[in-house]
Amino acid sequence: MRIGVIGTGRIGTIHANTLSRHREVGSLILSDADPARAADLALRLGETAAPGMDEIFRWGVDALVITTATSAHAELIGRAARSGLPVFCEKPIALDLPGTLEAIGEVERAGTVLQMGFQRRFDAGYAGAREAVRAGRLGRLHTVRALTSDQAPPPAAYLPLSGGLYRDTLIHDFDMLRWVTGREVTEVYAAGSDAGPAMFREAGDVDTAAAVLTLDDGALATATATRMNGAGYDVRMELSGERDTIVVGLDDRTPIASTEPTGPPAADKPWPGFLERFGPAYEAELAAFIEVVRGERTNPCDGREALQALRIAEACELSRHEHRPVRLTELPGGSAPAG
């Protein structure tokens, strides 16, 4: 199997390394807006660099992995669909709902595959939580608490391109909320704070955000995120039911410290970032993509699933700006059953 990788930045480099080692991948063709960067990675991996993305389509590949800037995702997804190519794409499809819906429409009209990169679906902790909830171990689920806290903010130049904290970061928590519980979000109320560095205000973004979400069975969820968690990278989900409570992301590297005399000690080596925390999950999602391309399994996260997570993020942004609850029915895109 020959796979094209468009985008050789941080996550593209990681994905290319993973694919280059996979037994079912015979070769890679790498492309980047900076051709020298693609050529350097190709040399290190013993793969081929293309002078531009057009050559990847002309030279011929069996599948495409898209890890470019978000602004290029939808166009490349559409081009791949028209070329009959299965695609793995990092989230999101686009930073707005019309662009997302158009790209999904192209894929569905072509009858091709689009697998989205929501890597937490392949994390052992989240998978265990999903199994516990679906098996009824918790009883009736009444409360979910989700959080994503980055240790340090991204570069200032990235913020205007990110889509904002809800679309860039909390979208993973929104996807997990649906995937783990099997429920849909019906209403959100969100707030954000830009009291940190000025670069967030200058980008029209916030450095810290919170949302209260109501699920379609009446359960309540909270989701919080920050770019400024100096203790380390912290991603958790707590799920409480009438029978039991479980937590994802609590281990000896979780960057929290107890003030109780008999509490656990602070982590000696807290997680520094998402690449380290979710390393195995990133590898597993690409292994799944190869199985999808080979017809050995169904798509674990298609474009419609990614759309629903984006709709929640969009509702949160609307709520933050208008200071009011927002029902998901106010947004286009409809509702797909939670996976």
Side-chain angles (χ1 to χ4, degrees):
M1 182 184 300
R2 180 155 71 166
I3 296 180
V5 179
I6 302 181
T8 57
R10 181 170 57 170
I11 193 64
T13 295
I14 288 172
H15 285 343
N17 271 277
T18 297
L19 291 166
S20 187
R21 299 192 308 267
H22 197 284
R23 64 182 182 278
E24 299 294 346
V25 178
S27 62
L28 301 178
I29 301 178
L30 309 179
S31 173
D32 194 88
D34 178 356
R37 184 164 67 175
D40 178 67
L41 180 59
L43 181 63
R44 286 187 277 126
L45 296 179
E47 303 289 357
T48 301
M53 67 179 67
D54 290 343
E55 282 76 11
I56 286 184
F57 288 94
R58 287 205 300 267
W59 294 352
V61 292
D62 299 303
L64 191 64
V65 171
I66 299 172
T67 55
T68 62
T70 298
S71 58
H73 287 184
E75 179 183 354
L76 287 171
I77 288 169
R79 184 173 181 181
R82 295 189 295 273
S83 300
L85 290 174
V87 168
F88 175 93
C89 183
E90 280 299 322
K91 63 82 189 167
I93 294 173
L95 289 177
D96 60 17
L97 290 173
T100 299
L101 288 165
E102 176 56 31
I104 291 172
E106 291 233 47
V107 170
E108 292 178 347
R109 288 190 293 272
T112 52
V113 168
L114 170 60
Q115 179 182 328
M116 295 302 299
F118 282 95
Q119 86 284 352
R120 295 187 194 182
R121 292 183 177 222
F122 297 88
D123 177 71
Y126 283 104
R130 172 185 164 98
E131 182 180 350
V133 171
R134 303 300 181 91
R137 173 181 151 191
L138 278 62
R140 183 186 70 84
L141 189 67
H142 53 74
T143 308
V144 182
R145 303 174 186 89
L147 67 88
T148 295
S149 300
D150 292 328
Q151 183 177 31
Y158 172 75
L159 293 176
L161 309 175
S162 71
L165 193 54
Y166 290 105
R167 299 184 191 93
D168 184 47
T169 298
L170 276 169
I171 194 168
H172 285 286
D173 297 277
F174 300 150
D175 181 61
M176 283 299 93
L177 185 59
R178 298 181 64 249
W179 189 74
V180 170
T181 68
R183 313 306 309 191
E184 296 294 345
V185 173
T186 60
E187 185 177 85
V188 307
Y189 191 90
S193 170
D194 61 2
M199 64 181 182
F200 292 99
R201 293 185 292 280
E202 292 165 358
D205 197 6
V206 294
D207 59 77
T208 303
V212 177
L213 309 100
T214 303
L215 306 189
D216 58 12
D217 64 348
L220 295 177
T222 61
T224 63
T226 183
R227 302 282 199 185
M228 312 290 296
N229 197 57
Y233 181 69
D234 191 5
V235 171
R236 279 176 281 139
M237 174 181 265
E238 300 173 10
L239 301 109
S240 297
E242 293 180 342
R243 295 180 186 169
D244 201 359
T245 294
I246 57 176
V247 59
V248 178
L250 183 61
D251 59 19
D252 61 0
R253 299 192 68 179
T254 305
I256 55 175
S258 174
T259 60
E260 299 296 334
T262 59
D268 289 332
K269 190 180 179 182
W271 295 108
F274 63 90
L275 295 176
E276 295 82 4
R277 166 66 177 84
F278 291 111
Y282 280 115
E283 294 193 8
E285 68 177 357
L286 288 177
F289 176 61
I290 291 169
E291 292 175 354
V292 170
V293 173
R294 289 171 55 86
E296 297 170 353
R297 67 173 293 172
T298 58
N299 190 342
C301 187
D302 63 20
R304 291 282 170 183
E305 291 289 303
L307 169 64
Q308 299 313 318
L310 179 60
R311 291 178 72 244
I312 299 169
E314 290 282 323
C316 287
E317 282 288 7
L318 182 60
S319 175
R320 179 175 75 88
H321 283 289
E322 298 188 358
H323 304 285
R324 66 174 179 90
V326 173
R327 294 193 63 81
L328 268 291
T329 51
E330 297 180 42
L331 281 75
S335 179

